[in-house]
Amino acid sequence: METSRSEAIVLGAMDYRESDRIVTLFTLQHGKVRGVAKGAKRSMRRFGGALEPFARLGVELVVREGLSSLRGADIVSLYPRIRADLLKIALAGYAVELADRFLPDGAPSPRLFRLLTAYLEHLEQGEAREGDRRFFEANFLNILGYRLALDRCAACGAELSAVAARRRGAAGTVLCGACGRGGAEVGPETVRLLDLCLGTGRFDAVAFSSAALHEAGELLDDAIAAHLTRPLNSLAFLRQIEADEP
Ligand SMILES: [Zn+2]
């Protein structure tokens, strides 16, 4: 069996048998991989503190269908500033759970890998901002082929740039005023900013007003929930932390 080296982000880890751990990794070269780290619980020598959620690693893997084998791991970053801040922990935990739940096994996605590492790097270096989370989500959905449809009414197909008002439909859709009667409004600024998120690769390039942030957030939350069969554990935690923030 051939050992390969890969860049990886830890999406999750759990104890397995007496002394092992099973780790879910998002690797640059192989996509999402689940692997067993033998002796990881008993011996700190080989893996140290590397197998923590959202740690960035260089790993040695024997990739197999089903369960791979994690032979070694070097820490690139544990993101210490994220780990010193409860809101950042919640945001990073949310980002890796999203990746874990949406990514199929064994399908590499370098763009998504770059987006996730850029978000973690951004959380590490800067403030924990709601707009950055929404930037991450809009691009995350787009890369996976679930781009928000902002151009046309999801019910009748009318061009939304030509209608007087846009309304929020079910499952993260946008409707024209006639089809979405009674629904919450989606203002032109929200649409413009979401488009801008998808048109730039930089986290700092988009500044949301609080109204646009709210509207974009509702759309993105609905769109994400529509693709999941059960709610994200990390989202409940994130909402609790956000509610406690001053
Ligand atoms: Zn319509």
Side-chain angles (χ1 to χ4, degrees), residues 5-34:
R5 289 196 59 82
S6 187
E7 293 179 53
I9 303 281
V10 178
L11 301 181
M14 62 179 185
D15 290 343
Y16 178 63
R17 294 188 183 141
E18 213 162 287
S19 58
D20 306 339
R21 272 168 86 71
I22 288 184
V23 191
T24 306
L25 300 169
F26 181 18
T27 69
L28 177 61
Q29 285 82 350
H30 310 284
K32 188 171 85 172
V33 169
R34 289 201 323 137

Side-chain angles (χ1 to χ4, degrees), residues 61-180:
L61 278 171
V62 177
V63 179
R64 299 189 192 91
E65 252 184 72
L67 209 52
S68 298
S69 177
L70 181 62
R71 295 290 166 84
D74 300 316
I75 293 168
V76 176
S77 180
L78 292 175
Y79 298 110
R81 284 185 219 153
I82 296 179
R83 286 176 210 279
D85 179 322
L86 202 52
L87 178 57
K88 289 184 177 183
I89 290 172
L91 286 163
Y94 171 75
V96 294
E97 193 187 3
L98 261 192
D100 190 9
R101 295 283 287 279
F102 273 82
L103 280 172
D105 287 342
S109 176
R111 280 178 75 198
L112 206 63
F113 189 87
R114 280 197 298 274
L115 177 70
L116 182 57
T117 51
Y119 184 41
L120 292 173
E121 203 56 49
H122 200 74
L123 275 176
E124 174 76 0
Q125 303 298 341
E127 298 294 307
R129 295 189 313 154
E130 173 86 7
D132 293 333
R133 169 188 164 193
R134 300 313 186 180
F135 178 98
F136 171 76
E137 291 170 333
N139 280 286
F140 180 89
L141 289 173
N142 181 43
I143 291 170
L144 287 165
Y146 302 129
R147 183 183 182 127
L148 290 181
L150 304 166
D151 300 341
R152 287 181 179 277
C153 171
C156 73
E159 255 194 63
L160 290 173
S161 57
V163 302
R166 300 176 182 84
R167 303 279 171 188
R168 182 151 57 90
T173 58
V174 182
L175 304 172
C176 70
C179 294

